[in-house]
Amino acid sequence: MDVTFTIGHKEYTLQAQDGEERLLRRAGALLDEEAQKIIDQAGRMPEPRLLLLAGLMLADRHNTMEDRALAAERELIRMRQAASGMVASEVQDSMAELATRAEALAQKAEDRS
């Protein structure tokens, strides 16, 4: 199926496989959005340069998002480890308290005997 979209000031038509039309249109729209920002700032320019700059801007945005995702993932791991440590600490405290109670009960039972 042919998919037609515009990037900057030029129309493109590409062949898409079944089911990929939506993805191609979405990718084209993202590239066009970046191209429009460039055109708004710098005016009309040669197509190869426009596509290169738009692609570089998208790559930069992708890298920034990837860095943020990795930072969030590291923070999640840190929080899980902290929570796990808290739970383990709470369990140890509870076990120590139970042991103390058990010893006290054993002592009382022994005293009654």
Side-chain angles (χ1 to χ4, degrees):
M1 167 183 215
D2 284 348
V3 176
T4 301
F5 50 92
T6 302
I7 298 175
H9 44 73
K10 185 166 183 193
E11 191 171 277
Y12 296 89
T13 300
L14 293 176
Q15 187 87 46
Q17 297 199 14
D18 288 340
E20 293 183 350
E21 301 89 354
R22 185 178 145 279
L23 296 173
L24 186 56
R25 282 191 184 94
R26 185 171 179 216
L30 285 171
L31 197 52
D32 182 52
E33 181 181 323
E34 295 302 321
Q36 290 302 325
K37 290 176 189 175
I38 295 167
I39 290 169
D40 290 347
Q41 290 179 355
R44 206 167 163 95
M45 66 178 55
E47 172 190 350
R49 183 168 178 81
L50 178 63
L51 291 173
L52 173 64
L53 290 174
L56 289 172
M57 288 174 67
L58 280 174
D60 182 53
R61 188 187 325 170
H62 170 78
N63 287 337
T64 299
M65 291 172 69
E66 194 171 67
D67 289 346
R68 290 177 67 191
L70 288 171
E73 193 173 299
R74 282 192 294 271
E75 179 65 13
L76 179 61
I77 289 168
R78 187 191 67 73
M79 290 176 72
R80 281 183 178 163
Q81 288 172 340
S84 175
M86 285 173 36
V87 169
S89 173
E90 289 172 7
V91 168
Q92 287 176 344
D93 290 348
S94 294
M95 294 293 283
E97 186 179 326
L98 287 172
T100 301
R101 286 182 183 175
E103 288 174 8
L105 288 173
Q107 186 63 44
K108 280 184 183 178
E110 204 172 290
D111 289 346
R112 287 185 184 168
S113 302

